[in-house]
Amino acid sequence: MQKIKRFIKKLFYAHRCDQETYIEYLRRGGAEIGERVRIFDPQSTVIDATRPFMLKIGNDVQITSGVTILTHGYDWSVIKGAYGEVLGSAGEVVIGNNCFIGMHTTILKGVHIGDNCIIGANSLVNKDIPNGYVAAGNPAKPIMTVEEYRKKRIDAQLKEAEELYRCYVKRMGKEPPIEAFDEFFWLFQKRDETSLTEGEKTKMRLVGTYERSMELYSQTKPMFDGYDEFLKHLRSSQV
């Protein structure tokens, strides 16, 4: 059944049928693409096919739905219509290591995005973004460092877990299982590998940093002593 589904997708979407096929297609065209790059929705992603050899993407880059990456422009057609000249357009796009490109972002030709960058959804990136910054907007501008954003996310963990609990109980009519919190387990899980669920282990393996994540994990203490205590807090937070 899976083979049939893949055949049908390939029939309709060709090289954009899945992320592996799409990445290999771009590499054959000369694009330099690193390891563990994810293109979550190839069918809605537009990466300039006219000059893929002008695209360089580092390791551990997450490209979400509706992203457009351009290595040329055709705006010169207006000049040709008005004056008759053919004026070429080309610019290398570089995306560094460990970057996240938010949904429906457009990256224009000639843009270089540094390592460890987060680009917010619906951004228009028409200028370089330095290493280690969160950028967003139209046009996109750096708004904070990744270190500042990390602190913001750490501070928001418990509040967002409480909101997840509230929404789950309200919509599902029961308390969430531990699997629903597989992104929040640092709040309550014991600091040993054997206590982790498969979903939690998967999160620890993301972007190739399992050993470093486990080392940091073992050096920290959870806010709550196990999932039961965590649930007690979540119940009390809804009052």
Side-chain angles (χ1 to χ4, degrees), residues 30-49:
E32 185 178 334
I33 300 176
E35 300 300 318
R36 298 176 300 277
V37 171
R38 299 290 305 277
I39 300 177
F40 288 94
D41 187 14
Q43 290 87 51
S44 70
T45 301
V46 179
I47 297 177
D48 203 327

Side-chain angles (χ1 to χ4, degrees), residues 72-221:
H72 88 297
Y74 190 45
D75 46 324
W76 61 263
S77 63
V78 175
I79 297 172
K80 185 178 185 298
Y83 300 98
E85 296 168 294
V86 174
L87 301 172
S89 176
E92 183 185 35
V93 171
V94 177
I95 301 173
N97 298 312
N98 192 39
C99 289
F100 175 87
I101 312 299
M103 293 177 68
H104 303 291
T105 287
T106 296
I107 301 172
L108 298 185
K109 69 170 187 176
V111 165
H112 289 206
I113 297 172
D115 297 337
N116 304 315
C117 286
I118 297 170
I119 308 299
N122 295 304
S123 293
L124 173 65
V125 189
N126 63 354
K127 292 183 180 179
D128 293 354
I129 305 298
N131 292 342
Y133 269 89
V134 178
N138 183 356
K141 296 179 181 178
I143 55 178
M144 68 177 71
T145 66
V146 169
E147 177 59 26
E148 290 170 335
Y149 187 66
R150 172 178 177 257
K151 292 175 181 176
K152 180 179 177 181
R153 296 301 310 131
I154 290 172
D155 292 342
Q157 287 296 283
L158 184 56
K159 181 179 179 181
E160 292 189 8
E162 292 168 353
E163 186 169 1
L164 189 158
Y165 177 90
R166 177 181 61 79
C167 290
Y168 192 99
V169 171
K170 184 177 181 180
R171 304 299 193 287
M172 307 301 290
K174 58 182 179 180
E175 287 194 327
I178 191 171
E179 289 77 13
F181 294 99
D182 64 359
E183 293 182 2
F184 294 89
F185 67 93
W186 284 51
L187 291 170
F188 59 83
Q189 278 287 30
K190 292 180 181 178
R191 292 312 196 242
D192 65 86
E193 191 174 6
T194 59
S195 66
L196 298 177
T197 67
E198 284 306 310
E200 292 163 359
K201 289 178 181 178
T202 297
K203 296 299 185 295
M204 294 290 268
R205 294 188 188 103
L206 291 175
V207 301
T209 60
Y210 185 81
E211 290 78 12
R212 186 170 62 177
S213 293
M214 282 303 305
E215 182 180 0
L216 179 61
Y217 185 65
S218 65
Q219 294 172 355
T220 60
K221 291 184 178 181

Side-chain angles (χ1 to χ4, degrees), residues 49-73:
T50 67
R51 296 171 176 84
F53 52 85
M54 298 192 75
L55 174 64
K56 180 179 179 180
I57 299 176
N59 299 323
D60 303 306
V61 174
Q62 319 297 317
I63 299 174
T64 57
S65 300
V67 170
T68 298
I69 302 174
L70 301 175
T71 55
H72 88 297

